[in-house]
Amino acid sequence: MRKNISGNSPWEDIVGYSRAVRIGNIFEIAGTTAVKDGKPYAAGNAYEQTKYILENIKKVLKKEGLALENVIRTRMFVTDISKWEEYGKAHGEFFRDIKPAATMVEVSSLIDKELMIEIEVSAVFD
């Protein structure tokens, strides 16, 4: 069984992707950035962008009947690795006790120069 979950991005049909996909007990959330009302949120603030993204991911999980405890992996793509403590602080506020497998990789840029981080999440249904 495959279930594609659409978001509100105008690029989903252009690029050919879904906000999230469930197959069996596996749930994958696509790369999520800090965009609010079509504009980058908290430009220049790594901590606030990370927190905003994780709040949105938490909402997607909840809508599908999952919680943060169902997350088994996070992938963080960051544009400035020197701010790792800021990204990490926000990530820790959500996952300190859960401790999913996590990756943080520096990339040269994201789709908008004011976006500092993009996060993907893998979760499983019990």
Side-chain angles (χ1 to χ4, degrees):
M1 171 187 95
R2 178 187 186 103
K3 179 181 179 185
N4 290 347
I5 293 119
S6 294
N8 55 10
S9 170
W11 300 290
E12 287 181 23
D13 286 335
I14 295 167
V15 177
Y17 75 95
S18 296
R19 174 78 178 100
V21 176
R22 177 182 181 180
I23 295 180
N25 72 332
I26 298 170
F27 190 69
E28 296 281 348
I29 298 178
T32 304
T33 58
V35 175
K36 183 176 183 180
D37 301 323
K39 298 178 183 172
Y41 174 80
N45 190 320
Y47 170 79
E48 287 298 327
Q49 283 196 8
T50 306
K51 189 173 164 182
Y52 182 80
I53 292 165
L54 292 171
E55 285 291 349
N56 284 333
I57 286 172
K58 185 176 176 181
K59 290 175 190 173
V60 173
L61 290 166
K62 184 176 181 181
K63 188 174 180 182
E64 294 302 313
L66 294 166
L68 290 174
E69 289 77 12
N70 295 94
V71 173
I72 60 169
R73 176 177 263 302
T74 62
R75 293 169 201 84
M76 295 171 276
F77 303 95
V78 303
T79 59
D80 184 353
I81 199 75
S82 73
K83 297 186 183 298
W84 72 267
E85 290 177 281
E86 295 174 52
Y87 306 120
K89 178 182 177 186
H91 188 275
E93 289 174 7
F94 287 81
F95 293 110
R96 184 168 286 111
D97 297 328
I98 301 164
K99 292 185 172 47
T103 301
M104 184 185 298
V105 177
E106 184 175 47
V107 297
S108 62
S109 67
L110 296 173
I111 200 159
D112 185 297
K113 66 180 178 167
E114 292 184 335
L115 296 172
M116 302 177 73
I117 181 168
E118 184 167 335
I119 302 174
E120 296 177 350
V121 169
S122 299
V124 294
F125 285 83
D126 293 332

